């Protein structure tokens, strides 16, 4: 394996593909067509949707000079280039994303087809792209014909903590006949609670935990499915299974802290609503909607709770209940529920999918009859069970992230989350089952009650996530750091489930805002989170308190006395800013702008002399080690950072007066902050690693003292044995501040550190994910895994925020403006690494950067997407010695030298692949 890697590395660094524009006569090609960040989305409700695409093509300095989008009512019309809905015309522009539809009003429940062509830098016209499409959902309330229906199983009339109330799932069905040939069939469905849609014996779609989690008093999301291919001539049966979910079940830590209410935060019983639109080839149509004619019952799912788990009694299966020919005479008429207070809207984010299937890598039996399956890494999801045995046999599955010293799973850190699934066999050969309405955080599955001794095939792990962590690659000469990168991606996947949860395993799983804002930029490197975070920002805006603060988590079903905290509430500014910075998304800024202004006024009202106090409700630098940064310092520094970002966002929106207001506010905060917290020698009055990191990264230092502050930060780290004293807030900013002020070598030392506290400490102790605490577990100290477990999450992405530094500095990929149109390539080349390479799939295409050094020379390979330019920083002062391939850069017309000094040479390049070599200056 090592030999193969070296061969690959050699090939990569010797590769030099060079084209001049004169050699190019191949038109640009168009790829990755999307509408509102989705490929071929069904049922959106944005009436002016945005288009985007990515360009590919040979050569250098290629760019788009114009585009033309056409939209048609049918694929046949589109193939004839007949734009009977909208034609943008040939539009002179290099824009390839955030292009707004500007045609006539779009219609509900209608499918639209589109394609695009472009012209390149020489005016050469491309082929049309492949056809893409989107469909509209239901845009008017009057178009909803269904009722909210459910099945009455009663409700829990007691309020107790010593037992759980876990009602069964409800089953709903409707038989209908089609005698004419179907042209198109579309289902629009939702539920207060969770639902799975069934049609003619099969699940509709491939998503889980629908319709997702919102503040149901403000909005309820629905899904749209094209079911044309599933409708059959004659009798059809539409069915739905519904369960409590976030709507009526146990949510978060309410049970743990003994709130007045521990479940049913939005409602008591789940209900389903939906309708099927049938369009026949003869031009007629009809709607099959949820109404009083449906039939309802209970079934084999006896318990279904998103936190506590699921119990399924296969003996109670109503075989064929969702297919034709089933006798439902014993089923009841549905109970009718009122419409929710929240507005019905199409789900704007990315739905939860099964992104990976894992086979166990080991099976142990720590005690007779107790079998433990090891899936190899710590995930969020469910386990599929395969079993054969006698009728009535009860098999129980429990879940854990680590093992105790005796080989059994640890469940203490789950706190009040029962996290247990139970399957009762029907005794009919090999049976397979997986739950529908719960999920767990786990690496290990404990199986008890299994008939006989299972083999590895008895359990399969299904990874569930709202995202695919496929937007980036990272590889270095340090194996530990490579494992760290995989752990970061695994943990992000496990927590980006409908909202960015803090952890997937214990009785929490809340969208904590401090974790989310700290990790936001890292999240964008590892995955395309544009749609996911759009949805979360709607949740956050819905959760904003009446007095202006954003809360500690969103959605916000309940609170403890402290509703908000500095550095947590600031997510309402920091996340939208990063959406703009990464995806050039100004629409989300417009959506959030009024709330952000209200938040800034809330901070101003609480400030004295432009300093925002921390107050009592402050989580501070959560889980810092041996150093405490004051709450006031944290509050004041984030207030300054908010003002800085608000000025930039106001400018992006063309709000000139607001830009001036917030720019002036930032200056005033900076002045007051300097007077209170910055000493004449460049030290902070707090003198903690976190205080320097925040002040430096947020530009709150006077320019004349900033380098002294950075040097003091470096001095403190070295005096602490090259280790952190920081927590969630300080850690990522330490790395960014060090590299910002020239301390790259120290940043690499921290990056490679394996002693506590460090990222490497968890890796050498066997982690497959990011831990909440630096020292959650040690493989050589079994006692540590058995005790003090209640605040140990082994899947907590906040410390994974180092990914931001990994890409912006180690690999060196950043954006100068917004949306990666003007790219910065500035890798921090260090002799602590032999080589490092990585890539990032930006909204404009793939950006790649790799470097390798030997002796006093280095080689840098980069790839810049079509339609972008890059400033490339080379760590050498010998400009005449820089070569691109075998040529000196002075002889290459498409490379421009912008600057050269004692530390670096900065080049400007267009799109294409480049291989630079020069003498290394460190």
């Amino acid at each position: 394996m090592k030999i193969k890697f070296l061969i690959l590395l050699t090939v990569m660094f010797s590769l030099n593909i060079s084209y001049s524009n004169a050699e190019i006569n191949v038109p640009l090609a168009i790829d990755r067509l999307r509408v509102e960040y989705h490929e071929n989305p069904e049922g959106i409700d944005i009436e002016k949707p945005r288009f985007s695409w990515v360009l590919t093509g040979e050569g250098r300095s290629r760019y788009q000079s114009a585009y033309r989008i056409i939209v048609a009512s049918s694929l046949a019309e589109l193939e004839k280039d007949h734009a009977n809905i909208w034609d943008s015309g040939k539009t002179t522009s290099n824009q390839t994303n955030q292009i707004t539809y500007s045609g006539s009003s779009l219609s509900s429940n209608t499918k639209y087809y589109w394609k695009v062509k472009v012209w390149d830098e020489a005016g050469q016209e491309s082929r049309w792209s492949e056809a893409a499409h989107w469909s509209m959902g239901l845009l008017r309330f009057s178009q909803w014909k269904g009722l909210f229906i459910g099945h009455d199983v009663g409700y829990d009339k007691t309020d107790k903590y010593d037992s759980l109330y876990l009602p069964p799932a409800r089953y709903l069905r409707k038989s209908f006949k089609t005698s004419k040939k179907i042209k198109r069939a579309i289902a629009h469905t939702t539920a207060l609670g969770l639902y799975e849609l069934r049609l003619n014996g099969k699940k509709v779609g491939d998503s889980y935990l629908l319709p997702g989690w919102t503040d149901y008093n403000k909005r309820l999301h629905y899904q749209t499915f094209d079911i044309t291919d599933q409708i059959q001539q004659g009798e059809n049966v539409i069915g739905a299974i519904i369960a409590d979910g976030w709507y009526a079940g146990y949510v978060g830590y309410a049970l743990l802290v003994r709130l007045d209410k521990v479940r049913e935060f939005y409602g008591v019983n789940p209900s389903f609503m939906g309708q099927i639109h049938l369009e026949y080839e003869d031009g007629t149509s009809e709607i099959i909607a949820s109404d009083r004619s449906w039939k309802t019952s209970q079934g084999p799912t006896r318990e279904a709770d998103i936190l506590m788990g699921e119990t399924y009694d296969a003996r109670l299966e109503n075989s064929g209940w969702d297919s034709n020919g089933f006798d439902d005479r014993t089923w009841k008429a549905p109970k009718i529920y009122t419409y929710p207070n929240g507005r019905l809207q199409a789900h704007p984010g990315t739905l939860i999918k099964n992104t990976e299937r894992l086979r166990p890598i080991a099976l142990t039996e720590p005690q007779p009859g107790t079998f433990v399956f090891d899936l190899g890494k710590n995930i969020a999801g469910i386990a599929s069970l395969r079993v054969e045995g006698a009728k009535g046999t009860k098999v129980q599955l429990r879940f854990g992230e680590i093992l105790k010293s005796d080989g059994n799973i640890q469940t203490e850190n789950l706190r009040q989350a029962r996290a247990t699934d139970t399957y009762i066999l029907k005794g009919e050969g090999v049976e397979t089952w997986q739950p529908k309405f719960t999920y767990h955080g786990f690496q290990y599955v404990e199986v008890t009650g299994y008939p006989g001794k299972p083999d590895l095939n008895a359990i399969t792990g299904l990874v569930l996530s709202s995202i695919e962590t496929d937007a980036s690659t990272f590889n270095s000469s340090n194996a530990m750091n490579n494992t760290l990168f995989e752990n970061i991606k695994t943990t992000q996947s496990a927590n980006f489930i409908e909202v960015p949860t803090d952890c997937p395993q214990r009785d929490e799983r809340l969208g904590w805002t401090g974790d989310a804002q700290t990790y936001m930029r890292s999240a964008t490197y590892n995955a395309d989170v544009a749609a996911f975070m759009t949805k979360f920002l709607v949740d956050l805006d819905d959760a904003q308190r009446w007095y202006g603060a954003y809360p500690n988590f969103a959605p916000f079903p309940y609170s403890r006395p402290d509703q908000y905290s500095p550095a947590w509430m600031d997510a309402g500014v920091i996340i939208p800013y990063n959406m703009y910075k990464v995806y050039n998304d100004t629409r989300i800024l417009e959506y959030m702008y009024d709330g952000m202004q209200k938040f800034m006024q809330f901070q101003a009202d609480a400030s004295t002399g432009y300093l925002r106090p921390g107050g009592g409700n402050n989580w501070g630098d959560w889980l810092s080690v041996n150093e405490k940064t004051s709450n006031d310092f944290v509050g004041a520094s984030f207030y300054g950072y908010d003002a800085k970002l608000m000025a930039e966002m106001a400018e992006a929106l063309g709000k000139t007066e607001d830009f001036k207001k917030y720019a002036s506010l930032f200056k005033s905060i900076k002045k007051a902050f300097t007077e209170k917290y910055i000493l004449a020698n460049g030290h902070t009055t707090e003198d903690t690693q976190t205080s320097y990191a925040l002040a430096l990264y947020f530009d709150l230092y006077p320019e004349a003292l900033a380098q002294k502050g950075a040097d003091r930060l470096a001095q403190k780290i070295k005096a602490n044995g090259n280790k952190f004293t920081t927590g969630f807030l300080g850690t990522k900013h330490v790395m960014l501040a060090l590299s910002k002020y020239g301390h790259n070598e120290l940043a690499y030392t921290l990056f490679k550190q394996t002693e506590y506290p460090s990222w490497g400490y968890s890796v050498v102790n066997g982690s497959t994910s990011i831990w909440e605490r630096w020292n959650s577990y040690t493989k050589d100290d079994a006692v540590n895994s058995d005790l003090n477990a209640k605040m140990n999450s082994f899947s907590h992405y906040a410390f994974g925020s180092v990914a931001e530094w990994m890409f912006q500095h180690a690999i060196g990929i950043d954006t100068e403006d917004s949306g990666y149109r003007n790219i910065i390539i500035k890798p921090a080349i260090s002799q602590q690494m032999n080589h490092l390479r990585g890539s990032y799939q930006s909204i404009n295409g793939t950006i790649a950067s790799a470097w390798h050094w030997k002796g006093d020379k280095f080689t840098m390979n980069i790839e810049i997407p079509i339609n972008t330019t890059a400033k490339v920083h080379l760590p050498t002062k010998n400009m005449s010695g820089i070569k691109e391939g075998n040529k000196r850069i002075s002889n290459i017309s498409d490379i421009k030298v912008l600057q050269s000094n004692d530390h670096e040479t900065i080049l400007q390049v267009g799109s294409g692949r480049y291989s630079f070599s020069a003498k290394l200056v460190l």
Side-chain angles (χ1 to χ4, degrees):
M1 192 69 188
K2 186 175 181 180
I3 294 173
K4 289 182 180 179
F5 172 73
L6 291 173
I7 292 172
L8 177 63
L9 189 64
T10 303
V11 170
M12 190 184 94
F13 284 114
S14 63
L15 180 66
N16 176 33
I17 301 174
S18 177
Y19 302 94
S20 68
N21 284 346
E23 297 171 324
I24 297 301
N25 55 18
V26 179
L28 296 175
I30 303 164
D31 192 16
R32 207 179 176 212
L33 275 68
R34 298 193 298 167
V35 175
E36 288 300 320
Y37 300 120
H38 299 283
E39 294 184 9
N40 300 324
E42 297 286 355
I44 68 172
D45 59 4
I46 297 171
E47 298 188 48
K48 294 290 183 181
R50 294 166 296 175
F51 302 98
S52 70
W53 58 87
V54 169
L55 298 173
T56 61
E58 297 177 344
R60 288 181 170 175
S61 300
R62 307 293 307 278
Y63 62 88
Q64 171 188 295
S65 60
Y67 67 81
R68 181 187 174 197
I69 300 171
I70 63 172
V71 180
S73 60
S74 70
L75 187 58
E77 293 293 323
L78 191 75
E79 289 174 343
K80 292 186 292 186
D81 301 341
H82 186 197
N84 62 341
I85 300 298
W86 180 55
D87 188 341
S88 72
K90 183 178 179 180
T91 303
T92 301
S93 171
N94 66 356
Q95 191 175 358
T96 59
N97 52 68
Q98 312 299 356
I99 299 171
T100 303
Y101 169 82
S102 300
S104 57
S105 296
L106 299 171
S107 300
S108 291
N109 196 44
T110 302
K111 196 167 191 173
Y112 296 95
Y113 298 83
W114 71 287
K115 61 183 178 181
V116 61
K117 68 165 56 174
V118 302
W119 286 260
D120 68 10
E121 68 285 344
Q124 189 174 204
E125 186 176 348
S126 75
R127 295 175 181 269
W128 284 109
S129 69
E130 295 292 325
H133 67 264
W134 83 92
S135 70
M136 301 301 293
L138 301 181
L139 303 178
R140 305 290 179 265
F141 173 75
S142 61
Q143 294 164 336
W144 286 99
K145 304 302 181 184
L147 302 174
F148 277 87
I149 61 174
H151 179 74
D152 189 1
V153 299
Y155 62 95
D156 186 24
K157 300 180 178 64
T158 63
D159 186 11
K160 53 185 178 293
Y161 294 98
D162 57 351
S163 63
L164 300 174
Y165 174 57
L166 300 171
R170 291 77 159 170
Y171 290 71
L172 298 75
R173 76 184 304 272
K174 165 72 175 179
S175 175
F176 63 96
K177 292 183 178 180
T178 57
S179 58
K180 295 184 287 188
K181 197 169 182 180
I182 294 289
K183 178 182 178 182
R184 183 170 178 254
I186 302 296
H188 305 286
T189 51
T190 188
L192 290 166
L194 298 178
Y195 78 97
E196 179 178 284
L197 189 66
R198 311 283 300 180
L199 179 60
N200 295 329
K202 295 181 179 179
K203 177 180 175 178
V204 176
D206 60 354
S207 300
Y208 292 75
L209 305 180
L210 297 176
W213 185 13
T214 55
D215 181 340
Y216 303 98
N217 293 312
K218 293 189 175 180
R219 71 192 70 248
L220 171 63
H221 289 152
Y222 69 89
Q223 282 74 40
T224 297
F225 302 97
D226 188 330
I227 57 173
T228 306
D229 294 339
Q230 293 176 258
I231 295 289
Q232 56 198 22
Q233 288 292 307
E235 184 182 3
N236 292 268
V237 175
I238 184 73
I241 314 171
I242 55 176
D244 289 352
W246 294 284
Y247 174 75
Y250 293 92
V251 175
Y253 52 67
L255 185 62
L256 176 74
V257 298
R258 299 296 195 263
L259 295 181
D260 291 341
K261 180 183 286 189
V262 299
R263 63 188 309 277
E264 299 172 356
F265 292 103
Y266 303 101
V268 176
N269 283 309
S271 57
F272 169 82
M273 193 270 283
Q275 59 201 59
I276 295 176
H277 292 245
L278 298 172
E279 299 176 15
Y280 298 107
E281 289 197 348
D282 65 2
T284 60
S285 64
E286 68 174 312
I287 294 175
I288 309 297
S290 53
D291 57 22
R292 288 179 170 85
S293 68
W294 286 50
K295 295 293 191 70
T296 72
S297 184
Q298 298 182 34
T301 305
R302 307 312 303 158
E303 298 177 335
D305 188 87
I306 202 159
L307 272 178
M308 303 304 174
E310 199 160 315
T311 296
Y312 187 93
D313 189 342
R315 298 171 299 179
L316 302 178
E317 286 180 345
N318 294 307
S319 181
W321 73 274
D322 53 358
S323 300
N324 59 33
F326 179 77
D327 184 357
D328 63 6
R329 285 177 296 179
T330 61
W331 285 40
K332 297 181 179 180
K335 184 173 182 179
I336 307 302
Y337 292 88
T338 60
Y339 261 78
N341 293 328
R343 177 183 176 183
L344 274 171
Q345 290 186 306
H347 194 293
T350 44
L351 302 179
I352 299 167
K353 307 282 188 182
N354 171 210
T355 59
E356 188 179 2
R357 296 178 70 90
L358 299 176
R359 293 195 59 184
I361 62 171
L363 170 60
T364 58
E365 189 177 7
Q367 60 193 57
T370 298
F371 303 98
V372 175
F373 294 78
D374 180 359
L375 293 178
K377 64 178 179 179
N378 192 15
I379 65 166
I382 54 178
S384 175
L385 173 69
R386 185 177 186 272
V387 62
E388 183 175 9
K391 182 178 181 179
T393 302
K394 182 184 292 186
V395 180
Q396 181 175 276
L397 280 61
R398 296 199 308 157
F399 302 85
E401 295 182 287
I402 63 169
L403 299 179
K404 293 184 177 183
S405 53
D406 61 5
N408 286 295
I409 61 170
Q410 184 204 75
T411 59
E412 287 82 355
N413 70 324
L414 304 182
R415 301 190 307 209
Q416 296 296 319
R418 188 186 69 173
T420 300
D421 297 335
T422 302
Y423 180 75
I424 303 173
L425 278 67
K426 57 187 172 183
E428 298 178 7
V430 176
E431 303 174 42
T432 59
W433 172 78
Q434 65 188 52
K436 299 179 184 295
F437 302 116
T438 190
Y439 78 95
H440 313 288
F442 64 100
Q443 178 173 335
Y444 300 94
V445 184
E446 176 198 87
V447 178
T448 55
Y450 195 92
K453 187 170 184 177
D455 59 21
L456 289 175
N457 295 319
I459 291 292
T460 301
L462 277 64
V463 177
L464 297 183
S465 183
S466 296
I467 61 168
E468 293 273 5
T469 52
D470 57 358
S472 61
T473 63
F474 176 90
N475 187 273
S476 73
S477 56
N478 186 290
M480 181 276 287
N481 291 139
N482 298 336
T483 299
L484 172 64
F485 177 63
E486 294 302 319
N487 291 357
I488 290 171
K489 292 196 299 179
T490 295
T491 309
Q492 182 176 339
S493 171
N495 282 284
F496 277 40
I497 294 183
E498 188 62 16
V499 300
T501 61
D502 58 325
C503 56
Q505 76 296 102
R506 67 187 181 212
D507 57 350
E508 201 156 349
R509 309 186 198 182
L510 299 169
W512 282 92
T513 47
D515 306 53
Q517 67 84 6
T518 296
Y519 187 75
M520 174 60 186
R521 192 62 184 276
S522 293
T524 67
Y525 279 115
N526 294 328
D528 179 358
V529 297
F532 177 84
M533 281 298 181
T534 296
K535 187 268 178 188
F536 180 62
L537 285 173
V538 174
D539 295 331
L540 187 57
D541 188 66
D542 285 348
Q544 187 175 21
R545 302 292 85 196
W546 63 268
Y547 45 84
Y550 293 101
N552 288 327
F553 45 83
F556 198 64
Y558 56 78
S559 75
R560 295 166 76 175
D562 297 336
Q563 292 190 334
Y564 62 88
S565 171
W568 270 251
M569 60 183 179
D570 306 80
V573 170
I574 296 171
I575 295 178
Y577 172 79
N578 279 283
M579 286 287 289
Y580 161 67
K581 191 72 173 176
V582 173
Y583 303 112
N584 192 32
D585 192 335
T586 54
R587 183 176 285 183
I588 196 65
L589 299 189
E590 292 168 348
Y591 182 88
M592 298 292 292
Y593 197 77
D594 288 347
M596 290 192 291
Q597 284 194 302
K598 186 178 179 180
F599 170 59
M600 293 303 292
Q601 186 60 52
F602 160 75
Q603 296 199 87
D605 292 345
S607 299
T608 302
Y610 297 103
L611 292 176
R612 167 79 173 92
N617 51 332
N618 193 325
W619 298 107
D621 191 22
W622 181 249
L623 299 181
S624 59
V625 181
N626 299 326
E627 275 192 347
K628 167 71 174 175
T629 303
S630 72
N631 291 348
D632 285 352
F633 189 99
V634 170
S637 61
F638 272 90
Y639 183 33
Y641 189 47
D642 292 335
K644 182 174 182 286
L645 300 188
M646 285 296 294
E648 190 173 337
M649 289 187 283
E651 185 177 32
L653 294 176
K655 298 179 182 292
T656 304
E657 293 305 311
D658 283 352
F659 164 71
K660 293 177 181 176
K661 177 180 75 173
Y662 289 119
S664 174
L665 175 62
F666 174 68
K667 290 180 181 178
S668 297
I669 294 171
K670 183 173 181 176
K671 182 175 183 294
F673 185 92
T674 298
E675 290 173 353
K676 181 170 184 178
Y677 291 114
I678 309 297
L679 302 174
N681 63 355
H683 292 197
T684 67
T685 56
E686 306 265 321
D687 200 35
T688 64
Q689 289 184 20
T690 292
S691 69
Y692 290 105
L694 296 182
L696 289 165
Y697 186 75
F698 294 166
D699 288 331
L700 293 170
Y701 255 93
E703 186 176 345
L705 294 176
Q707 189 61 54
K708 290 183 178 180
D711 293 345
R712 173 58 180 165
L713 171 61
Q715 182 184 34
K716 284 182 62 64
I717 293 169
K718 292 174 182 176
N720 195 47
N722 294 321
K723 288 175 282 190
F724 291 114
T725 60
T726 51
F728 278 16
L729 303 183
T731 301
K732 89 156 184 179
H733 295 108
V734 163
M735 299 292 285
L736 297 172
L738 287 174
S739 286
K740 181 178 179 179
Y741 288 97
H743 291 286
N744 284 318
E745 288 302 314
L746 182 56
Y748 272 105
T749 299
L750 288 169
F751 187 48
K752 295 176 64 178
Q753 177 67 264
T754 58
E755 295 181 6
Y756 166 79
S758 69
W759 296 288
Y761 184 78
S762 66
V763 173
V764 299
N765 279 287
S767 69
T768 62
S769 53
I770 302 299
W771 298 344
E772 180 180 17
R773 296 170 181 270
W774 291 115
N775 61 340
S776 290
Y777 170 76
T778 61
K779 63 183 179 182
D780 296 325
D781 182 10
V783 174
N784 204 30
S785 69
D786 294 351
L787 302 176
N788 193 29
K790 290 188 177 181
M791 281 301 292
N792 273 349
S793 163
F794 295 91
S795 183
H796 227 90
Y797 60 74
F799 279 134
S801 60
V802 67
E804 184 174 347
W805 177 86
M806 291 164 67
F807 282 91
Q808 287 185 4
H809 293 283
I811 296 170
I813 296 175
D814 201 357
T815 181
E816 186 173 22
D817 48 5
S818 62
Y820 290 90
R821 180 55 54 80
N822 294 297
I823 297 163
I824 297 172
I825 301 292
K826 189 178 181 181
I829 296 178
S830 169
Q831 289 180 310
Q832 296 187 56
M833 294 278 190
N834 293 328
H835 72 270
L836 196 148
R837 67 177 183 270
S839 66
Y840 167 57
Q841 189 179 78
S842 76
I843 196 168
N844 283 307
T846 300
I847 308 166
S849 173
W851 55 262
H852 170 261
W853 67 268
K854 186 176 183 180
D856 63 349
K857 293 184 179 180
F858 73 91
T859 301
M860 185 191 301
N861 288 316
I862 63 173
E863 180 180 350
I864 308 301
I866 302 292
N867 211 41
T868 67
T869 62
K871 289 180 180 176
V872 182
H873 295 247
L874 305 176
T876 183
K877 61 182 178 181
N878 183 13
M879 187 180 68
S880 62
I882 301 173
K883 290 185 177 181
E884 205 286 300
N886 296 320
K887 298 180 181 178
R888 296 189 183 279
I889 59 170
S890 57
N891 298 326
I892 302 175
S893 60
D894 57 0
I895 298 176
K896 181 180 179 181
V897 178
L898 298 179
Q899 182 181 334
S900 186
N901 55 41
D902 287 342
H903 304 290
E904 64 178 3
T905 298
I906 305 176
L907 309 176
Q908 180 169 301
V909 302
S911 65
R913 297 187 182 96
Y914 299 84
S915 181
F916 296 107
S917 59
K919 189 173 182 179
L920 184 63
V921 174
L922 294 177

